[in-house]
Amino acid sequence: MRITYFYIIILTIIIGILSRSNNSVPLFIGDILYAILIYFGFRFLFINSKKTTSLLLGLIFCFCIEISQLIQLDWLVTIRKNALGHYILGQGFLFIDLICLAIGTIAAYFIDYYVLKINK
């Protein structure tokens, strides 16, 4: 089962990178994909936990990352200017991003629950 989550994580990363390199894809798609990645990352790490645990951890993690964008410490801004830091920590807080992150996390949960139907 863990390998399935690993493949989904890799696929989500590839789609996310492609979405950022294509100007016709709206930016909010990246936020949704980020949340999907985080959810399945938690499923991969905590394979024996309930899906609702991954749902809650994913929401908390994503919201913390987004809210942390309100913090403008010099060293944190420096990390965000780096490409990898930008992809992981984001750039600036937007309330709409919280909605996109919630949509992505909930969508991943439903994909996991109804499509994958992996136990727990």
Side-chain angles (χ1 to χ4, degrees), residues 34 36 43 50 64 72 78 88-90 96 99 101 110:
Y34 180 87
I36 291 171
R43 291 298 296 147
K50 294 181 179 181
C64 285
Q72 297 298 317
T78 302
I88 295 171
L89 299 177
I96 190 73
I99 296 169
L101 293 169
F110 280 108

Side-chain angles (χ1 to χ4, degrees), residues 52-109:
T52 52
T53 301
S54 294
L55 174 71
L56 292 174
L57 289 173
L59 283 171
I60 290 167
F61 182 87
C62 289
F63 279 31
C64 285
I65 292 293
E66 187 64 29
I67 292 167
S68 76
Q69 293 171 16
L70 293 169
I71 301 168
Q72 297 298 317
L73 300 172
D74 291 338
W75 64 272
L76 204 48
V77 171
T78 302
I79 292 172
R80 288 184 185 127
K81 287 183 182 177
N82 157 330
L84 185 59
H86 176 75
Y87 283 132
I88 295 171
L89 299 177
Q91 193 62 35
F93 175 83
L94 292 173
F95 181 78
I96 190 73
D97 288 352
L98 294 174
I99 296 169
C100 292
L101 293 169
I103 289 169
T105 307
I106 293 167
Y109 172 80

